[in-house]
Amino acid sequence: MARCLDQKCFHDNLVQAMLGREGEDFLTNAKIEMAAQEVGNPHDFALPNDHSRRFSGEDWCTLVDQCGQQRLAPNKMPWCSTCCYDGDHHIFWSWRDCTIDSAGTHHHDKPNRYQVVEELHWCDGTIASNLPGTPPASDSESTS
């Protein structure tokens, strides 16, 4: 998958929105979605879960058909075609806990805390953080 930056790659749009926020903690769904929508992601394609690894290091608990194979994902319909939630190029750490009850129903709690990773990657795997010519987020963006 090539690096897009043409507002068609939702992963790259979200990386662009998070540049300058590397390592920032306690971001909420609302803040992340707002930043992603400002750079072109539609509402449902700005969800941080789709770009997150669990801070505990455990896998997600929902089995989905995604990116040509079955994967464990953060929700039933993950929209990031880079599938960064199960690889090294995720954008966020998530504190969301996954449990499955005896009826097979998935329950997720602590859904609203995310930390931006220390080094962001574009969808093709190249490093996005600290690249020459890539402006950091402005002060007003990093505090909103």
Side-chain angles (χ1 to χ4, degrees):
M1 183 178 298
R3 179 176 166 203
C4 312
L5 290 182
D6 61 2
Q7 294 196 337
K8 293 180 182 176
C9 178
F10 304 125
H11 175 94
D12 280 1
N13 286 349
L14 190 48
V15 166
Q16 183 71 38
M18 292 298 112
L19 285 173
R21 296 180 181 220
E22 291 88 339
E24 188 175 328
D25 200 357
F26 296 105
L27 291 179
T28 63
N29 279 327
K31 285 184 180 182
I32 293 167
E33 287 187 76
M34 185 183 307
Q37 289 167 22
E38 287 174 359
V39 294
N41 281 13
H43 175 72
D44 286 342
F45 292 77
L47 300 172
N49 265 356
D50 290 349
H51 307 271
S52 300
R53 290 289 295 156
R54 292 175 66 194
F55 190 77
S56 65
E58 296 175 11
D59 287 328
W60 292 105
C61 64
T62 307
L63 190 64
V64 299
D65 291 315
Q66 181 80 2
C67 304
Q69 61 183 332
Q70 284 199 325
R71 296 173 180 266
L72 289 169
N75 48 50
K76 293 178 183 177
M77 296 292 294
W79 295 112
C80 182
S81 60
T82 304
C83 295
C84 55
Y85 49 80
D86 72 349
D88 293 335
H89 300 139
H90 53 283
I91 300 172
F92 304 101
W93 290 111
S94 172
W95 275 256
R96 189 172 214 183
D97 288 332
C98 299
T99 58
I100 305 172
D101 64 22
S102 59
T105 303
H106 294 257
H107 301 278
H108 300 108
D109 67 358
K110 302 181 187 175
N112 208 24
R113 178 184 171 197
Y114 298 91
Q115 179 180 354
V116 182
V117 296
E118 293 291 333
E119 184 175 83
L120 292 163
H121 291 85
W122 301 116
C123 66
D124 68 356
T126 57
I127 297 172
S129 296
N130 303 316
L131 290 177
T134 305
S138 71
D139 289 339
S140 64
E141 289 173 340
S142 62
T143 59
S144 61

